[in-house]
Structure formats: structure tokens, C-alpha cells
Amino acid sequence: MDARLISTLGALGLAGGYIAYDASNSDPTIYPYSRQQAQTMLVAAKTTLPRRDNSGQIEIWSTGRSSKGVMLNMKYSSRAPLITCDVAITDAGPDKVRVVPDCGADPKQESAINRTSNELRVPMFAEHVEATLNKREFSRERVSRKEVAITFKNLNEMQKEALQTYADEQRLLHDAYSTKR
């Protein structure tokens, strides 16, 4: 093989490897905006999408700026409770911000079922933020993947809790039945 061809292929391999490495280490919560620009974009954005059961729409919108960044609301239907999430916007460098939904979940919460329920609030808000700041369409598929990941991450603990609850209830029923004899 020609030495120039080998040298060129080697350089292309190194460049491709660096690009792949750099892309894998990029932080998807970093955006090329000032705090003010990110706030303005998120305050103005509204997401409306059909519910999966085709009986209405899901809406996500902002109620304005907050001390952390921007307050978002979500409604699954006109009769559903309002879900809120404060989106934290922090400086990450010159004209760069980190934008992360902070929906109030407590990672130290004892119950895996409650923790999972709280964590499942975040993907819809996160996708609204990502779609808005990346100037693209909202992707329900991305939300679904994140929800599945959250559920599987906590599945083992949730199963243990459910089995323990069942065992406790069976013990109570047994004790109640035994005392009636």
C-alpha cells in the first residue's frame, strides 16, 4: 500500500475516533445561550400533543420566570391535576447554560414506588426543554425511552416492596382470621 494512503486512513481514523469520543462526552443539558435567552425561549414555548388514548390533549407551558429559571406547567386533561416543574438554568461558561428540570423528586425517598412516580414527571418536561432549546419537534418516542429507563432502573426495588406489602397483608389477614376462631 502507498504510504500516503496509509497515512490518510490513519488520520481519518484518529479524527473519527475523536469525534465519536467528543460526542459521547457532550452534556445534553448544555445549550449555547445566555441565561436570559434560554428563559425567553422557554417562557414563550408551548407544547400541545394528543394523548395516547386519543381523548384530549397534553399541554406544557410556562407561567414565567422563577428564581431558578423558568416555571413550567403540564396538564394531561381538563380534569387532571396541574403538574409543575421548576427548570433550573445555570451558567456553564461564556454564552452557555445548563438547563435541567427540577421537578422536586427526592432521590433519597424510601419508597421505590413513590420515587419512581416522582421521577416519571421529568421526561415530559425535559423533552419540552430539549425540543424548545434545540429548535426541533417534541419527540414522544424520546419521552417513552426515558420513562422505560426510569421504570427498569427501579423495577427490582418496586417488586420487592410490592411483595413485602403483599406478605404483610397476608400476615394481617391470617392473624385476624386466627383471632376469630
Side-chain angles (χ1 to χ4, degrees):
M1 245 199 246
D2 185 85
R4 286 182 294 184
L5 178 62
I6 292 173
S7 176
T8 302
L9 288 175
L12 287 173
L14 285 173
Y18 175 76
I19 290 169
Y21 171 80
D22 189 49
S24 69
N25 287 324
S26 66
D27 185 343
T29 64
I30 301 289
Y31 298 93
Y33 304 112
S34 68
R35 187 174 201 274
Q36 173 110 13
Q37 287 171 316
Q39 282 180 313
T40 300
M41 291 171 74
L42 290 169
V43 165
K46 182 174 183 180
T47 297
T48 303
L49 59 146
R51 287 177 31 159
R52 288 185 177 148
D53 62 4
N54 295 321
S55 66
Q57 297 181 35
I58 298 171
E59 294 179 80
I60 304 172
W61 72 97
S62 172
T63 57
R65 298 170 193 265
S66 70
S67 60
K68 288 183 180 182
V70 173
M71 184 60 73
L72 295 178
N73 290 330
M74 180 169 43
K75 199 96 155 123
Y76 277 93
S77 74
S78 60
R79 289 177 271 170
L82 185 67
I83 301 170
T84 62
C85 187
D86 203 354
V87 177
I89 303 173
T90 55
D91 290 325
D95 288 325
K96 284 185 182 177
V97 289
R98 174 172 280 111
V99 184
V100 180
D102 180 1
C103 300
D106 181 3
K108 296 175 188 163
Q109 190 162 14
E110 279 187 40
S111 168
I113 294 170
N114 289 340
R115 191 171 54 251
T116 303
S117 176
N118 287 334
E119 288 176 19
L120 286 172
R121 291 182 192 169
V122 176
M124 290 288 281
F125 288 112
E127 178 57 20
H128 173 78
V129 167
E130 290 172 29
T132 299
L133 297 179
N134 286 322
K135 300 178 183 175
R136 63 168 172 77
E137 292 291 316
F138 186 95
S139 171
R140 191 62 182 261
E141 184 180 321
R142 292 170 65 100
V143 172
S144 294
R145 284 194 310 258
K146 289 177 184 177
E147 290 170 340
V148 167
I150 289 167
T151 303
F152 275 107
K153 176 185 78 173
N154 295 317
L155 188 59
N156 193 33
E157 270 189 88
M158 289 190 301
Q159 287 175 328
K160 286 179 185 175
E161 283 180 17
L163 289 170
Q164 184 61 51
T165 299
Y166 178 77
D168 292 345
E169 288 176 1
Q170 290 301 307
R171 197 176 305 93
L172 286 172
L173 285 172
H174 179 268
D175 291 348
Y177 182 73
S178 295
T179 58
K180 286 185 179 180
R181 289 185 174 187

